[in-house]
Amino acid sequence: MRKPYIYGNWKMNLSAAESADLISSLLAIKIDFNKVDVGVAPDFCSLKKVAETVHAMDYPVSVAAQNISVEEKGAFTGEVSAAMVASAGADTVILGHSERRTIYGETDKVINEKVKTALRNKLDVILCVGETLEEREGGVAVERVIYQVGLCLQDIKMDRIDRVTLAYEPVWAIVTGKTATPADAEEIHGKIRDHLSKMYGPVVAKKVRILYGGSVKPDNISALMMRENIDGALVGGASLDVASFVKLINFNG
Ligand code: 13P
């Protein structure tokens, strides 16, 4: 039985003061951490403050960076390394997000290198995959997603895969208000798990959590979470408001 995992990706939306307020408001609300795992991904500037707030209250809330450099260290102006985000208090990093792929041209190869860099630096990984609208309409959604999973996890050994969470985020459903139907999402999640089973064997594949992301809201999360292979949600917009974030965390009442 995989524990549900609800993760807020705050993207580039909040000031440092707003991020600090949001995490404080969230932690002031009673959450049953026996039933659900929770995480937040603030921007780089807010990361340390958010991580300090979480650690000071001693809550088991994961804190992620939204990206890292593929490089370890050196003359890479504007980049932020895995070690830097870890030293700011992050335990996780989101990699392969479609906004990184489509707007900043990150390829599966680069994402694979970043996954290795993250794991080497003791960061857990939320690895995002997902097809575009053209790919879905062209009938190649499954192939595209499986291809991404295979390439992004290339050379990631069995003993490290337990530190990776997958997130299926169909590009056409992000920020658009369109959500994949629970049946559509379940189909892809099932195929991802089948592929993980081919790569790592059925025992390991059964343990890996696969989150769904793309316009998840309090009114659609329950139907998604009822599906066998949907283990949680990676949420953008609806995680920016404490009331709706808490409703997502308490999706099962
Ligand atoms: P929205 O929930 O705003 O559609 O964003 C989804 C997402 O990209 C999470 O990483």
Side-chain angles (χ1 to χ4, degrees):
M1 178 66 185
R2 295 175 296 270
K3 193 173 176 189
Y5 201 8
I6 309 297
Y7 222 103
N9 176 6
W10 296 347
K11 306 191 181 181
M12 198 177 74
N13 284 303
L14 303 174
S15 68
E18 288 166 337
S19 297
D21 276 356
L22 183 51
I23 192 66
S24 298
S25 310
L26 184 69
L27 297 180
I29 291 166
K30 198 169 165 358
I31 295 168
D32 186 351
F33 291 109
N34 293 315
K35 285 196 187 153
V36 62
D37 286 335
V38 176
V40 294
D43 63 277
F44 287 134
C45 299
S46 306
L47 191 59
K48 190 162 195 287
K49 177 75 185 152
V50 168
E52 277 171 1
T53 307
V54 166
H55 298 153
M57 308 225 0
D58 203 21
Y59 279 130
V61 171
S62 167
V63 179
Q66 297 174 16
N67 186 25
I68 50 165
S69 172
V70 72
E71 306 291 347
E72 292 282 355
K73 190 182 169 80
F76 301 103
T77 302
E79 290 289 277
V80 178
S81 73
M84 287 170 182
V85 301
S87 74
D91 49 74
T92 297
V93 58
I94 297 174
L95 293 173
H97 193 280
S98 71
E99 286 147 18
R100 301 295 322 163
R101 292 172 184 268
T102 55
I103 307 172
Y104 300 101
E106 286 190 18
T107 61
D108 292 308
K109 175 89 191 81
V110 166
I111 295 159
N112 175 239
E113 290 304 323
K114 287 191 176 190
V115 172
K116 291 180 197 161
T117 303
L119 294 173
R120 222 175 18 244
N121 283 277
K122 312 267 183 299
L123 291 170
D124 289 351
V125 171
I126 297 177
L127 171 63
C128 305
V129 292
E131 82 285 3
T132 61
L133 187 58
E134 298 74 61
E135 287 161 347
R136 173 149 289 259
E137 288 177 342
V140 294
V142 171
E143 287 87 332
R144 178 70 190 123
V145 168
I146 295 309
Y147 180 79
Q148 290 173 340
V149 171
L151 260 188
C152 294
L153 291 179
Q154 201 164 45
D155 300 327
I156 305 303
K157 300 274 179 317
M158 195 84 152
D159 59 340
R160 295 244 168 128
I161 192 67
D162 61 330
R163 292 177 39 215
V164 177
T165 296
L166 271 289
Y168 168 56
E169 297 205 318
V171 177
W172 48 271
I174 294 176
V175 202
T176 57
K178 291 182 193 154
T179 326
T181 65
D184 286 341
E186 171 63 18
E187 185 201 0
I188 303 273
H189 282 229
K191 299 280 190 217
I192 293 174
R193 202 174 303 287
D194 288 347
H195 194 68
L196 291 172
S197 184
K198 278 188 203 139
M199 291 177 78
Y200 298 102
V203 176
V204 172
K206 245 189 203 153
K207 289 192 193 148
V208 177
R209 289 188 286 197
I210 309 173
L211 316 184
Y212 172 78
S215 299
V216 176
K217 305 276 182 273
D219 62 2
N220 60 23
I221 190 165
S222 303
L224 288 159
M225 292 299 292
M226 277 167 56
R227 298 291 170 147
E228 187 185 337
N229 287 294
I230 301 181
D231 307 315
L234 183 56
V235 186
S239 71
L240 295 170
D241 170 76
V242 71
S244 86
F245 198 5
V246 166
K247 281 188 195 151
L248 294 168
I249 292 167
N250 293 329
F251 69 91
N252 58 0

